[in-house]
Amino acid sequence: MDKDVLLVERFDRVRSGQGWARNAMISALTILGLDEMMARYASYEDLADVIRQRFTAPRATLHELFRRIVFNILCGNTDDHARNHAAFLDGSYLALTPAYDLCPQGRTGNEATQAMLIIGQNKYSKLSVCVQAAHKFQLEDAAAQTIIDQMEHVIKDNWVEVCESAGLTQHERELMLGRQFLNPFIFE
């Protein structure tokens, strides 16, 4: 058989003396006290408030969540709903899980929105919206812009190598760059 296979190491499992055990995890939807019918009201701003109160290392966690929002926008992942963010629960405090279920979305036009509100009622997939929200993540505007610039450069500097590693054709690379990744709308 000539088929591709993807093996993924699960971050929610740990090896114990008796086999495999689960790490207790809770979704951002549950952390925010929302059900599926209320998911459209989930916001990064509200999640940041909970992080300040209930997470270990809140400042570092807020900065990491900000980076994830920026990366979602840079790569065109608009499927960043509250079920695609989670935290490990140790009984008292929460800690962000690794990022997962990142799925850059193709689009024919430029305008896009994130699944979760970023600040206020704004969920436009724009880096300027991230800067507007930076204070909620304990970042000054200049520090937020530095994070954005660094992440943009990492994508640009590694684009060819990553595409080659993934076996993408030149045509596929051209379709992704400027549509999903680094879409011009995000810079408006």
Side-chain angles (χ1 to χ4, degrees):
M1 295 178 132
D2 188 24
K3 293 185 178 185
D4 292 332
V5 175
L6 174 65
L7 298 175
V8 177
E9 185 177 342
R10 304 251 334 221
F11 61 80
D12 62 336
R13 302 284 194 268
V14 291
R15 190 177 255 321
S16 69
Q18 301 171 344
W20 291 93
R22 286 181 169 220
N23 277 334
M25 250 174 70
I26 184 170
S27 75
L29 192 66
T30 301
I31 291 168
L32 294 171
L34 300 171
D35 62 30
E36 293 293 337
M37 298 302 292
M38 302 296 285
R40 69 179 175 269
Y41 299 112
S43 76
Y44 285 112
E45 193 173 7
D46 290 342
L47 185 54
D49 289 340
V50 175
I51 287 170
R52 279 190 290 282
Q53 299 165 19
R54 298 189 52 214
F55 277 65
T56 59
R59 185 175 179 83
T61 303
L62 288 167
H63 292 181
E64 174 59 22
L65 183 59
F66 182 82
R67 282 186 206 82
R68 291 181 188 193
I69 299 166
V70 169
F71 184 74
N72 283 334
I73 290 171
L74 288 169
C75 78
N77 177 35
T78 57
D79 189 37
D80 60 336
H81 56 80
R83 284 257 185 244
N84 283 343
H85 296 281
F88 293 122
L89 175 63
D90 73 0
S92 299
Y93 289 96
L94 301 166
L96 278 181
T97 66
Y100 60 93
D101 201 9
L102 302 174
C103 183
Q105 305 292 312
R107 48 184 155 171
T108 54
N110 284 340
E111 189 172 301
T113 57
Q114 298 307 116
M116 286 177 51
L117 297 164
I118 299 172
I119 187 162
Q121 295 302 305
N122 194 339
K123 60 181 179 175
Y124 278 110
S125 304
K126 292 183 175 186
L127 297 170
S128 62
V129 175
C130 293
V131 174
Q132 290 171 20
H135 67 281
K136 292 291 186 175
F137 300 89
Q138 296 183 353
L139 289 164
E140 299 291 327
D141 289 359
Q145 190 61 55
T146 297
I147 289 169
I148 290 167
D149 293 344
Q150 289 171 340
M151 293 183 84
E152 179 186 350
H153 289 294
V154 166
I155 291 171
K156 286 178 177 176
D157 294 346
N158 294 284
W159 182 255
V160 172
E161 181 182 340
V162 170
C163 289
E164 285 175 359
S165 174
L168 297 178
T169 67
Q170 184 63 32
H171 179 69
E172 290 168 328
R173 294 176 201 186
E174 290 169 4
L175 283 175
M176 291 181 78
L177 190 61
R179 289 193 182 173
Q180 286 109 321
F181 286 82
L182 307 178
N183 186 293
F185 178 73
I186 71 174
F187 300 105
E188 290 179 7

